[in-house]
């Protein structure tokens, strides 16, 4: 059994919506025919030649990577360039490439949350929450016999969706009154005469970007020439998405002990795990960000974290951060190793959605660019 690439990408987009990507990011399908069959999927962090070669040997029809192959526009994919050679390898062997980058950083089961779970954190929440998508609350008043027609029309326009539910609505009974004036063409009552009509109050929510569509559906389905309605804008709330994560350990440990836990929880690599702080400091609340996260150093301190774990930290920001009273300790881990923790989570979730129609594998090739740590002993041996 198998799925089409289009079907697989649809499930990936449900997990990691491309709309969540940064404006300048490059996510989505890089290579591949949407109608091609996919029975084997390989997950990896980097779209490098060694991963492409692994996919060829294993017989994959799709590679899903976290990092994009191209972040900028190009005028050539000639095989004389490293990235062009990857494109040629994929096409020649019928392998598609799909990227989930910043759209996979912020959501539940994304990169930062996967890293937090790998480190044993609980009570997780975004360190820097994204605002929830704005919604409207619609209220209108409908004669009883037209309620189902209006509800159906608004539902078809996208109203009434809340999380994993649709057709959500609230109705209550009341009485509406009005008087048609000269020039009106009332469906109920007559010009110049005040009318009282038993009506149902209908309430539904809808994404704000659907406002025009929902309004058109309401007016088309409603029996009145001028239906009454309210569009309310609820107070903004934080989404369950956002940059980084903060959580707690089951039991406090020293910074030295926690650093050892971090090192052992990440996949093997050839880079260093660097620690800034008192080894004896007690750690309970942990903030982190998968990938390059020095932009959240201040948020980690404001959130009351005891330690902040991320990658690609620079000397001056860390030095300045540590000067602040009570500043969290800092652990800098390899970028590749931190983001690798997302691969088994994403593979598991995609597999649950596709069932036994595909086989999914997580690449264990270490694509971290750093290959060894220099030591004084190595220097003396030269």
């Amino acid at each position: 059994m198998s799925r089409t690439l289009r079907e697989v990408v649809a499930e990936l987009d449900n997990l990691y919506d491309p709309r969540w990507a940064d404006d300048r990011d490059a996510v989505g399908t890089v290579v591949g025919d949407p109608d091609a069959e996919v029975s084997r999927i390989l997950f990896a962090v980097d779209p490098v030649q060694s991963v492409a070669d692994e996919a060829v040997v294993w017989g994959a029809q799709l590679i899903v990577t976290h990092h994009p192959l191209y972040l900028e526009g190009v005028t050539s994919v000639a095989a004389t360039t490293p990235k062009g050679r990857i494109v040629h390898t994929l096409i020649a062997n019928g392998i598609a490439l799909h990227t989930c980058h910043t759209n996979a950083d912020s959501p539940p089961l994304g990169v930062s949350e996967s890293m937090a779970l790998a480190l044993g954190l609980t009570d997780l929440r975004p360190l820097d929450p994204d605002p929830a998508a704005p919604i409207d609350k619609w209220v209108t008043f409908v004669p009883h016999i037209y309620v189902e027609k209006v509800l159906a029309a608004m539902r078809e326009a996208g109203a009434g969706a809340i999380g994993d539910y649709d057709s959500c609505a609230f109705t209550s009974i009341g009485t509406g009154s009005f008087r048609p004036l000269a020039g009106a063409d009332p469906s109920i009552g007559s010009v110049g005469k005040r009318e009282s009509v038993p009506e149902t109050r209908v309430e539904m929510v809808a994404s704000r970007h659907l406002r025009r569509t929902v309004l058109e559906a309401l007016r088309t389905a409603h029996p009145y020439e001028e239906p009454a309605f309210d569009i309310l804008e609820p107070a903004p709330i934080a989404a369950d998405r956002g940059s980084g994560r903060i959580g707690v350990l089951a039991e406090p440990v020293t910074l030295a002990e926690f650093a050892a836990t971090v090192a052992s929880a990440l996949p093997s690599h050839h880079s260093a795990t660097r620690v800034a702080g008192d080894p004896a400091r007690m750690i309970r609340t942990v903030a982190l960000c998968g990938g390059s996260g020095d932009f959240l150093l201040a948020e980690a301190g404001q959130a009351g974290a005891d330690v902040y774990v991320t990658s690609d930290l620079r000397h001056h920001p860390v030095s300045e951060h540590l000067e602040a009273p009570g500043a969290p300790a800092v652990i800098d881990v390899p970028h590749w190793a931190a983001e690798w923790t997302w691969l088994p989570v994403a593979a598991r979730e995609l597999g649950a959605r596709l069932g036994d129609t595909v086989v999914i594998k997580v690449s264990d090739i270490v694509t971290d660019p750093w290959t060894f740590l220099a030591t004084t002993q190595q220097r003396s041996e030269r």
Side-chain angles (χ1 to χ4, degrees), residues 77-101:
V77 291
T80 52
T81 65
K83 292 188 176 184
R85 188 166 65 252
I86 293 169
V87 171
H88 280 260
T89 299
L90 297 175
I91 293 176
N93 291 276
I95 302 171
L97 173 63
H98 186 87
T99 297
C100 300
H101 192 213

Side-chain angles (χ1 to χ4, degrees), residues 9-76:
V9 168
E11 295 297 345
L12 285 168
D13 287 351
N14 285 335
L15 284 165
Y16 309 109
D17 195 319
R19 292 177 298 178
W20 301 335
D22 292 347
D23 291 340
R24 298 183 62 187
D25 198 10
V27 301
T29 302
V30 182
V31 174
D33 178 354
D35 294 321
E37 291 191 353
V38 173
S39 60
R40 289 192 171 199
I41 303 171
L42 180 68
F43 273 80
V45 174
D46 297 298
V48 294
Q49 189 65 48
S50 59
V51 170
D53 293 340
E54 180 184 14
V56 172
V57 172
W58 186 57
Q61 295 84 37
L62 170 63
I63 303 172
V64 178
T65 62
H66 181 53
H67 290 151
L69 180 63
Y70 293 105
L71 271 173
E72 304 291 342
V74 297
T75 59
S76 171

Side-chain angles (χ1 to χ4, degrees), residues 336-354:
W336 171 84
E339 294 183 331
W340 186 94
T341 61
W342 169 72
L343 303 182
V345 174
R348 181 194 69 211
E349 293 303 316
L350 181 62
R353 287 159 173 76
L354 297 177

Side-chain angles (χ1 to χ4, degrees), residues 37-372:
E37 291 191 353
V38 173
S39 60
R40 289 192 171 199
I41 303 171
L42 180 68
F43 273 80
V45 174
D46 297 298
V48 294
Q49 189 65 48
S50 59
V51 170
D53 293 340
E54 180 184 14
V56 172
V57 172
W58 186 57
Q61 295 84 37
L62 170 63
I63 303 172
V64 178
T65 62
H66 181 53
H67 290 151
L69 180 63
Y70 293 105
L71 271 173
E72 304 291 342
V74 297
T75 59
S76 171
V77 291
T80 52
T81 65
K83 292 188 176 184
R85 188 166 65 252
I86 293 169
V87 171
H88 280 260
T89 299
L90 297 175
I91 293 176
N93 291 276
I95 302 171
L97 173 63
H98 186 87
T99 297
C100 300
H101 192 213
T102 53
N103 55 318
D105 282 339
S106 63
L109 305 175
V111 173
S112 287
E113 186 158 303
S114 298
M115 182 179 170
L117 295 172
L119 299 185
L121 304 185
T122 59
D123 298 334
L124 297 176
R125 67 182 190 277
L127 181 57
D128 183 22
D130 291 343
I135 63 171
D136 291 330
K137 180 179 179 182
W138 290 80
V139 180
T140 190
F141 308 89
V142 189
H144 299 327
I145 62 172
Y146 291 95
V147 168
E148 290 303 321
K149 181 181 179 181
V150 172
L151 282 171
M154 294 178 69
R155 181 175 64 247
E156 288 299 314
I162 301 177
D164 293 330
Y165 296 83
D166 67 9
S167 304
C168 300
F170 180 81
T171 59
S172 55
I173 303 301
T175 301
S177 62
F178 52 86
R179 185 177 66 173
L181 301 178
D185 183 20
S187 59
I188 296 176
S190 55
V191 172
K193 181 180 179 182
R194 185 176 181 276
E195 297 288 339
S196 294
V197 181
E199 292 180 339
T200 299
R201 176 186 171 107
V202 173
E203 302 181 38
M204 301 182 82
V205 296
S207 295
R208 192 158 300 160
H209 75 275
L210 296 174
R211 182 175 288 184
R212 180 173 296 182
T213 304
V214 173
L215 179 57
E216 182 179 352
L218 186 159
R219 282 178 164 159
T220 299
H222 203 290
Y224 290 171
E225 183 180 22
E226 295 289 349
F229 60 88
D230 296 322
I231 306 174
L232 309 177
E233 297 186 359
I237 58 174
D240 57 357
R241 303 187 314 276
S243 298
R245 288 296 184 272
I246 187 167
V248 296
L249 298 169
E251 298 290 340
V253 296
T254 66
L255 176 60
E257 291 170 330
F258 180 67
T261 297
V262 171
S264 63
L266 299 181
S268 298
H269 53 81
H270 306 296
S271 297
T273 296
R274 304 181 298 174
V275 185
D278 180 358
R281 178 175 181 167
M282 298 305 297
I283 303 298
R284 179 67 187 273
T285 301
V286 178
L288 58 82
C289 180
S292 303
D294 60 1
F295 68 100
L296 290 175
L297 273 169
E299 282 77 359
Q302 293 166 4
D306 300 311
V307 64
Y308 179 53
V309 187
T310 192
S311 304
D312 303 333
L313 291 173
R314 296 168 294 148
H315 173 93
H316 292 296
V318 173
S319 178
E320 293 172 7
H321 162 80
L322 293 175
E323 289 297 314
V330 175
I331 300 179
D332 182 275
V333 300
H335 190 123
W336 171 84
E339 294 183 331
W340 186 94
T341 61
W342 169 72
L343 303 182
V345 174
R348 181 194 69 211
E349 293 303 316
L350 181 62
R353 287 159 173 76
L354 297 177
D356 59 2
T357 60
V358 297
V359 177
I360 301 178
K361 176 183 177 182
V362 172
S363 175
D364 57 8
I365 295 177
V366 179
T367 56
D368 185 276
W370 308 109
T371 55
F372 68 90

